[in-house]
Amino acid sequence: MYLPDFAYYAPDTKEEAVELLVRSRGTARVIAGGTDLMVKMKQGLLSPEALVSLKNLDGLKEIGTGSGGLFIGSRVTLNELINSPVIQATYPSIAGAAHQMANNQIRHTGTMGGNLVSAVPSADLPPIFIALNARVRVTGPAGEREFPLSDLFLGPGRTSLAPGEILTGVVVPEQKTTGSTYLKFGLRRSGALAVVGVAAAVTMEGPTVKDARIVLGAVAPVPFLAGEAAKTLYGREFTTELAEEAGRVAASECRPISDIRGSAEYRRDLVRVFTRRSLEKAVREGHV
Amino acid sequence: MPDFDVIGRSKPKIDGRAKVTGEAKYAGDLKFPNMLVGKILTSPHAHARILGIDTSEAGKLPGVKAVITHADVPELKYGISPARWDENIFCRDKVRFVGDKVAAVAALDEETVYKALRLIRVEYEELPAVLDPLTAMNDGQPQVHDEYPRNINTEIHQHFGDVDQAFKDAYHVRTDRFVGQRTYQCPIEPHSAVSMWADGKLTVYSSTQSPHYFQYYLAREFGLAMGDVRVIKPFVGGGFGGKLEPTGLEFAGAVLSRLTGRPVRMFYDRHEMFAHNRGRHRQYMELTSGVDRDGRILGLYANFIMDGGAYTSLGVASAYYAGAMLPLTYGFENFKFDMYRVYTNLPACGAQRGHGAPQPRYALECHLDMVAKDLGMDPIQIRLVNARRPNTVTPNEFRVNSCELTACLEKAREMSGWDEKKGNLPPGRGIGVAVGSFVSGAGYPIYRTDLPHAAAVVRVNEDGTSATLYTGAVDIGQGSDTVLCQMAAEAMGFTYESMKIVAADTETTPHDFGAYASRQTLMSGWAVKRAGEEVKAQLLSMAAELLDVDASTLDCRLGVIFDVASGTARLNFTEVARTFFVKRGPLVGKGSYAPPKLGGKFKGAAVGTSPAYSFATQVSEVEIDAETGEIKVAGVWDVHDCGTVINPSLLSAQVHGALFMGMGESVWEQVVFDDKGKIMNGNLGEYRLPTALDMPKVTSALVHGEEPEPAGPWGVKEVGEGATIPTMGCYANAIYDAMGIRLDSLPLSYEKVWKALKEKREQER
Ligand SMILES: Cc1cc2nc3c(=O)[nH]c(=O)nc-3n(C[C@H](O)[C@H](O)[C@H](O)COP(=O)(O)OP(=O)(O)OC[C@H]3O[C@@H](n4cnc5c(N)ncnc54)[C@H](O)[C@@H]3O)c2cc1C
């Protein structure tokens, strides 16, 4: 396994980065932490002619709150998500999701933006962000735009980013959700990709579920909003039985495949279990 | 316990500092002037005829210094097992698995090598492949090797006593079937070798478990005298059986070096390690036993099939071991063993920690629990009824001296709280037991020779302040350099802190067969003890001369020579050793060891013989998530009868490491192939070894008999592999206790638990 030849650029501004990507006519790729890209290049799955590194774009490392909500720059690493006091104070469930990823070395290098744009079906951050209604900010040849994160994913490894577009960050809007969490089922305690990942965000009014979003990872080509499952909850008093019912609906909604990590049948049943467990956790423990 | 000064103590590892500071150099770290980098081109097909190889483009690439194929290397077939030499340096007519060796390149740097490999054009005609060992022997199946009809690599039919009569006499007869999977050793250090062939002499630095076997086979392949081949082991980051035999890295590297006149460094990356393999066999195991009313085993019949892969490797021995080790733990008289090891178009399997023993042991320990359930007996009770006694002989003629299996069982029962827990644990929790036994060194070497198994020299350095141990024993991380220095110091009456070591270099150290079959503490230990004692005898005779007393009145401990009767110190080691050198020349002691003649006369009688056997019992407590099948191990209790302990902390590291590997094979590890014979998980992400976070709490204890093991120096026995052996059966039994489900195939994965629970619920409905 050896990296193929490529040209390497580390521009100082976003504009330059976009310019380099545009000029490459689709033969260049962005590199952030490289923990996803380098592996794919070594395996011969990707062979970009040039890499455009974001390492000098310090503006993309920001984490902050403002009128629009919580903003997280795309170059923020997984460990920075975990350790950020701002995230701890707002949505610790995001830190919780990041903490279930990879291992310490990879979390130190891998970035949030890379996790989203890699568009891997089992990626751990998309479910919790989609559950929290996150939007992505991108910049490109046509300027800046912002759209729901759920619209980013087209299929495994495929996103709706236009040629030359760079993900600059994620915005988690202000919201009334009372609890959220992400539960991952991997086959060992560290360094295992998700067999199933389920994020739940709920808005409770007393014992009643006012609103809920359930997002399933690793059981469809893209992270998957289980709309029917969420609907079973609306306006009803939350109980374990209700969560189980939502779990059963989620299981019937998902479209898993069989692969080396688990059969479709197993994944489907795990969706039921983890939908129930994540709902219970979000309802009873808040944003965790 | 006799009192010792140096052994029996947790001395720090002699190479600890070099390793933790990163100073230690492994084969892949070595650099020599003008060194080239080489790599092997491997087959993309499981089975294909080679129609042509065109290396011309690769040869033209700037920086490429040599490109070789089968036309450039000896035709002679090799293998670690002389019973079947079936491998060529490069495939000549056809390739037999995805990863088979086809050609090699040496170039100025790694980048050029990889580019050159891509420029080699090989024309293949794909052939139908044999991937399923269960059908490989059928008529009309493709032939992996023309020389071995019906793809049978090894066929074993052994019968001791009369099993059929035993089953007739039995109160209860039961048959069960189990499957063990292909797993891979996964040493953390990838295989590397630096070869230099100059002036008629071949020198190889390699990450090897046995410089001796490498030297022997390299010499044989290239028609060199053994004295013209030097194999040196630098630091090695684990082997576990996978680095016991020379690979294409040494053979191709040697030829590339001869052609270019330059040192050549060759290496495998992680995926190539998986393809080279030599890991655990996939094994289909059927066991039938007959027991009396008390659960006493009257007879056992083992009927096995093994998937050997494309070549023999050490597989003939693995096949014999699979059956031969079963009678060690239980004292039954009638035993029958049938085995077919078949060729398939998959990577070759070989010896992995515990060699052939762990999977059959898993099968037998599960089977015995099922028999106990049929009889309404407690699992520990049925094992106590059958546990082997000391000073007995197995039906396949292994002589067992010390054996404290009964004490192991009793101690494990007490430590784990078995009696309180069994049947009383909350839902989802269960407790299981299994036992094991292993050789302390193989009774016979891998190829036939009358060489002693181990030899050692101790030279006291001229000023008498230190001594150097020269040994062919091979430290691959397990700590043999440390324990052997402790043993040398003990035998000489010197201190560990004064010891230096030169090891595992065929030119500067005396012969030793190397690190496999848990042999070094006992076998190399004997040689070292004898060498040390020879030093001491000479030292005391010098001291006696200086003091004008009889040497028998003196002894030496921890560097102090004293009068035995009064205990008064008279002289010190250093001054007497220095005087010795001045007056008599170098103070050198030597020792060697060959085991006594062991075993019976039947075919395969040698495999499994050993001067001494270790015994062990493990109890584990598991907690199962009934919805997901996830297995959490709440605790493991391991009790070993491994004889006298030389270094307690290294011993417990061995127990932990072996248990860790056993645990990986129990729950996670399996090399998976697609329907074209390609490995689907040849990386550490999808081939899941447990991590430190997955390690359960382990409580270990040792038991000792009244008499030390007579066959070991100071009474030592093995520990390095023994603790891997019970683990799979122990977990399977604990899972059964927790959930009432019997998993008859390894690994006992979360999904298999989930599926079995689902089926159980459906049945109960
Ligand atoms: C051992 C190991 C374990 C892993 N475990 C997990 C796990 O448990 N869970 C999980 O979800 N992932 C896991 N991963 C995958 C990976 O580490 C993460 O997805 C990580 O967050 C990727 O971030 P990165 O910065 O390294 O991405 P990179 O490799 O730099 O980039 C990934 C992709 O995103 C693109 N990209 C990156 N940033 C931008 C941007 N700002 N704008 C546009 N495109 C961009 C790149 O072009 C590339 O296609 C693991 C990887 C390894 C090697």
Side-chain angles (χ1 to χ4, degrees):
Chain A
M1 300 223 274
Y2 207 78
L3 284 174
D5 288 341
F6 55 86
Y8 178 78
Y9 304 96
D12 290 324
T13 63
K14 280 191 276 192
E15 293 68 29
E16 271 178 81
V18 169
E19 167 82 26
L20 282 162
L21 289 168
V22 170
R23 259 197 285 147
S24 84
R25 296 175 189 281
T27 61
R29 265 191 185 257
V30 169
I31 179 165
T35 63
D36 178 73
L37 192 59
M38 286 292 133
V39 180
K40 289 185 176 142
M41 286 171 67
K42 278 198 168 184
Q43 288 172 342
L45 299 175
L46 290 175
S47 39
E49 281 172 24
L51 295 183
V52 178
S53 170
L54 306 182
K55 71 172 185 188
N56 294 331
L57 306 185
D58 286 341
L60 303 184
K61 283 196 82 76
E62 184 196 333
I63 302 177
T65 46
S67 55
L70 169 69
F71 177 80
I72 306 172
S74 64
R75 268 190 63 217
V76 167
T77 66
L78 305 173
N79 269 345
E80 285 162 353
L81 285 179
I82 295 169
N83 295 322
S84 155
V86 178
I87 292 174
Q88 295 286 355
T90 48
Y91 302 103
S93 49
I94 296 171
H99 203 190
Q100 295 173 62
M101 293 171 70
N103 52 50
N104 196 38
Q105 291 91 325
I106 298 287
R107 289 196 297 265
H108 223 66
T109 326
T111 65
M112 180 199 70
N115 189 254
L116 300 179
V117 181
S118 63
V120 173
S122 64
D124 288 310
L125 292 180
I128 187 67
F129 277 122
I130 295 175
L132 290 170
N133 254 315
R135 301 171 66 77
V136 286
R137 275 192 196 155
V138 304
T139 183
E144 309 248 332
R145 61 184 184 116
E146 195 183 295
F147 55 93
L149 170 61
S150 51
D151 293 346
L152 179 69
F153 304 106
L154 300 181
R158 289 196 304 123
T159 67
S160 59
L161 291 186
E165 276 187 328
I166 294 171
L167 182 82
T168 50
V170 162
V171 185
V172 182
E174 293 221 9
Q175 51 193 289
K176 298 210 176 84
T177 44
T178 52
S180 64
T181 197
Y182 172 72
L183 295 183
K184 166 179 182 172
F185 186 71
L187 296 177
R188 74 180 159 195
R189 301 218 182 134
S190 163
L193 298 181
V195 179
V196 158
V198 180
V202 294
T203 311
M204 300 297 291
E205 255 178 22
T208 309
V209 185
K210 182 99 191 307
D211 193 11
R213 285 165 70 86
I214 299 164
V215 187
L216 312 177
V219 289
V222 297
F224 184 87
L225 201 52
E228 295 301 318
K231 268 190 220 156
T232 58
L233 300 165
Y234 296 161
R236 294 174 70 185
E237 185 177 328
F238 187 80
T239 60
T240 303
E241 293 68 39
L242 182 64
E244 172 72 18
E245 190 184 326
R248 277 202 300 273
V249 176
S252 67
E253 269 184 279
C254 66
R255 291 175 281 141
I257 54 161
S258 294
D259 68 10
I260 192 164
R261 292 191 282 280
S263 68
E265 203 195 354
Y266 186 37
R267 286 199 158 99
R268 201 179 280 285
D269 199 39
L270 290 171
V271 164
R272 173 185 65 81
V273 174
F274 286 98
T275 298
R276 188 193 71 229
R277 290 182 185 180
S278 62
L279 283 168
E280 289 215 83
K281 203 161 175 207
V283 168
R284 302 195 201 286
E285 296 174 40
H287 294 284
V288 284
Chain B
M1 286 285 281
D3 79 305
F4 298 122
D5 298 316
V6 190
I7 64 172
R9 283 155 214 268
S10 292
K11 297 289 180 187
K13 264 186 138 176
I14 203 158
D15 53 8
R17 188 190 154 80
K19 283 184 174 165
V20 298
T21 55
E23 214 173 83
K25 294 282 178 274
Y26 296 76
D29 298 325
L30 300 176
K31 290 193 174 61
F32 295 90
N34 283 325
M35 186 172 80
L36 300 174
V37 182
K39 271 206 89 65
I40 296 174
L41 179 75
T42 61
S43 155
H45 305 297
H47 200 191
R49 200 169 302 288
I50 299 175
L51 301 178
I53 307 176
D54 179 0
T55 62
S56 54
E57 286 305 308
K60 279 185 232 154
L61 188 71
V64 170
K65 297 295 172 192
V67 187
I68 55 174
T69 68
H70 61 81
D72 308 290
V73 301
E75 231 177 285
L76 188 67
K77 287 192 175 171
Y78 70 89
I80 182 78
S81 199
R84 314 268 186 286
W85 280 319
D86 56 8
E87 243 175 300
N88 277 116
I89 299 180
F90 296 119
C91 299
R92 307 187 80 81
D93 50 347
K94 60 178 193 171
V95 292
R96 294 182 171 84
F97 71 98
V98 179
D100 216 350
K101 310 182 292 295
V102 176
V105 174
L108 291 177
D109 54 54
E110 239 177 271
E111 192 175 342
T112 310
V113 169
Y114 278 98
K115 285 186 175 155
L117 287 180
R118 264 182 256 134
L119 294 175
I120 299 175
R121 299 270 161 262
V122 187
E123 200 187 331
Y124 293 105
E125 175 199 334
E126 269 193 79
L127 301 170
V130 185
L131 301 175
D132 179 3
L134 294 181
T135 55
M137 288 180 284
N138 293 355
D139 286 338
Q141 282 287 307
Q143 281 281 121
V144 179
H145 294 266
D146 292 337
E147 301 87 329
Y148 299 98
R150 292 175 55 223
N151 294 316
I152 297 173
N153 168 269
T154 306
E155 183 172 350
I156 303 169
H157 305 288
Q158 295 180 334
H159 197 166
F160 309 98
D162 186 344
V163 164
D164 306 310
Q165 188 58 45
F167 291 167
K168 275 189 207 132
D169 297 341
Y171 167 71
H172 181 59
V173 177
R174 177 182 175 108
T175 301
D176 293 297
R177 289 176 193 82
F178 302 90
V179 186
Q181 306 298 347
R182 281 172 168 263
T183 59
Y184 178 55
Q185 289 97 348
C186 273
I188 292 305
E189 182 214 6
H191 305 55
S192 289
V194 182
S195 303
M196 307 175 209
W197 195 332
D199 302 328
K201 183 177 166 191
L202 173 61
T203 302
V204 181
Y205 292 81
S206 179
S207 57
T208 168
Q209 292 179 236
S210 172
H212 173 80
Y213 289 126
F214 279 42
Q215 179 194 29
Y216 175 77
Y217 279 110
L218 286 167
R220 179 183 166 273
E221 190 68 16
F222 296 117
L224 295 168
M226 278 182 72
D228 287 332
V229 178
R230 178 181 185 184
V231 179
I232 305 163
K233 176 212 69 101
F235 284 96
V236 169
F240 314 107
K243 293 177 178 170
L244 188 55
E245 55 196 292
T247 69
L249 302 181
E250 289 80 21
F251 290 123
V255 175
L256 288 168
S257 173
R258 184 164 50 84
L259 290 176
T260 58
R262 297 166 72 157
V264 178
R265 177 173 72 85
M266 309 270 297
F267 63 99
Y268 285 147
D269 64 27
R270 185 61 59 179
H271 190 275
E272 290 163 341
M273 291 167 75
F274 273 88
H276 170 69
N277 191 37
R278 324 287 147 154
R280 188 93 65 213
H281 291 69
R282 171 164 40 164
Q283 208 170 161
Y284 294 84
M285 300 166 288
E286 180 190 276
L287 286 176
T288 305
S289 70
V291 297
D292 71 11
R293 276 170 200 279
D294 303 324
R296 198 176 310 279
I297 302 170
L298 303 181
L300 180 72
Y301 173 39
N303 185 15
F304 295 174
I305 291 176
M306 261 183 169
D307 164 13
Y311 297 104
T312 299
S313 178
L314 216 61
V316 179
S318 319
Y320 277 101
Y321 265 118
M325 305 301 278
L326 289 172
L328 270 173
T329 53
Y330 302 123
F332 54 85
E333 315 257 292
N334 303 296
F335 177 52
K336 187 174 166 189
F337 173 44
D338 288 323
M339 159 70 89
Y340 290 92
R341 181 183 188 270
V342 298
Y343 282 117
T344 56
N345 291 115
L346 293 171
C349 302
Q352 180 167 332
R353 203 170 195 166
H355 207 164
Q359 294 174 340
R361 178 55 56 187
Y362 146 77
L364 181 57
E365 296 300 308
C366 289
H367 174 74
L368 201 58
D369 260 35
M370 289 147 100
V371 171
K373 179 151 198 305
D374 294 344
L375 299 181
M377 275 180 89
D378 176 78
I380 290 195
Q381 191 52 33
I382 199 168
R383 287 170 173 82
L384 283 170
V385 165
N386 288 291
R388 175 163 300 285
R389 309 274 151 188
N391 302 312
T392 51
V393 178
T394 68
N396 46 345
E397 297 183 55
F398 301 159
R399 173 163 295 285
V400 175
N401 308 319
S402 63
C403 169
E404 293 301 317
L405 184 56
T406 300
C408 288
L409 280 158
E410 278 162 357
K411 180 98 191 167
R413 171 192 225 154
E414 172 206 315
M415 275 165 52
S416 63
W418 177 275
D419 292 336
E420 301 86 73
K421 286 176 181 168
K422 181 73 185 164
N424 299 323
L425 290 170
R429 274 215 181 211
I431 189 163
V433 64
V435 306
S437 170
F438 204 64
V439 299
S440 311
Y444 295 85
I446 294 175
Y447 69 95
R448 198 166 289 190
T449 170
D450 58 3
L451 287 174
H453 288 219
V457 170
V458 175
R459 185 177 68 95
V460 180
N461 297 310
E462 284 70 19
D463 69 351
T465 56
S466 65
T468 305
L469 169 64
Y470 298 84
T471 167
V474 183
D475 195 327
I476 53 174
Q478 84 283 42
S480 62
D481 282 358
T482 302
V483 296
L484 293 174
C485 281
Q486 285 182 263
M487 290 165 117
E490 183 73 43
M492 289 156 70
F494 210 18
T495 60
Y496 171 70
E497 292 70 21
S498 318
M499 292 304 302
K500 322 278 174 204
I501 185 163
V502 175
D505 171 347
T506 57
E507 200 152 297
T508 59
T509 68
H511 160 81
D512 191 294
F513 284 123
Y516 66 97
S518 293
R519 56 180 294 287
Q520 295 189 144
T521 307
L522 188 145
M523 296 191 171
S524 314
W526 266 128
V528 167
K529 180 170 190 278
R530 288 169 182 163
E533 284 166 354
E534 206 176 283
V535 167
K536 189 179 191 178
Q538 295 175 74
L539 185 84
L540 293 181
S541 107
M542 184 75 248
E545 187 184 308
L546 296 174
L547 295 167
D548 197 17
V549 298
D550 194 291
S552 65
T553 63
L554 299 174
D555 198 359
C556 179
R557 293 177 73 160
L558 290 172
V560 179
I561 297 167
F562 58 95
D563 177 64
V564 176
S566 64
T568 348
R570 303 297 303 270
L571 292 166
N572 69 52
F573 187 110
T574 298
E575 58 183 314
V576 177
R578 190 181 171 285
T579 308
F580 187 102
F581 180 64
V582 172
K583 296 198 164 184
R584 299 188 190 171
L587 176 48
V588 173
K590 51 194 175 31
S592 66
Y593 171 77
K597 200 174 156 13
L598 297 166
K601 292 207 162 34
F602 56 92
K603 189 166 184 233
V607 183
T609 57
S610 180
Y613 298 89
S614 72
F615 293 88
T617 297
Q618 275 173 13
V619 169
S620 64
E621 188 177 334
V622 301
E623 191 182 336
I624 309 292
D625 183 327
E627 287 191 304
T628 64
E630 186 173 351
I631 301 161
K632 285 202 181 107
V633 183
V636 177
W637 295 266
D638 176 283
V639 185
H640 254 75
D641 159 23
C642 53
T644 303
V645 179
I646 304 298
N647 186 314
S649 74
L650 286 184
L651 178 117
S652 92
Q654 283 298 304
V655 170
H656 281 227
L659 182 94
F660 161 88
M661 280 186 86
M663 200 173 104
E665 283 189 63
S666 301
V667 182
W668 291 280
E669 295 177 42
Q670 177 178 6
V671 183
V672 185
F673 298 87
D674 70 9
D675 61 359
K676 299 254 180 262
K678 285 202 170 86
I679 301 174
M680 293 171 72
N681 57 346
N683 58 64
L684 299 180
E686 293 302 335
Y687 183 87
R688 273 174 294 276
L689 303 167
T691 71
L693 294 179
D694 301 295
M695 230 4 226
K697 183 169 157 30
V698 181
T699 314
S700 35
L702 302 176
V703 293
H704 297 278
E706 270 163 28
E707 294 297 317
E709 168 61 50
W714 293 286
V716 306
K717 301 203 281 182
E718 85 85 40
V719 72
E721 300 182 75
T724 296
I725 293 174
T727 313
M728 304 169 210
C730 179
Y731 280 16
N733 288 340
I735 292 170
Y736 180 81
D737 187 53
M739 311 305 287
I741 50 166
R742 177 55 67 186
L743 299 182
D744 57 7
S745 133
L746 294 168
L748 316 164
S749 66
Y750 302 166
E751 181 164 356
K752 282 187 195 160
V753 173
W754 168 83
K755 192 154 182 263
L757 285 170
K758 187 166 157 261
E759 282 163 7
K760 182 167 179 259
R761 275 194 304 272
E762 280 159 11
Q763 257 169 28
E764 283 166 1
R765 225 175 264 148

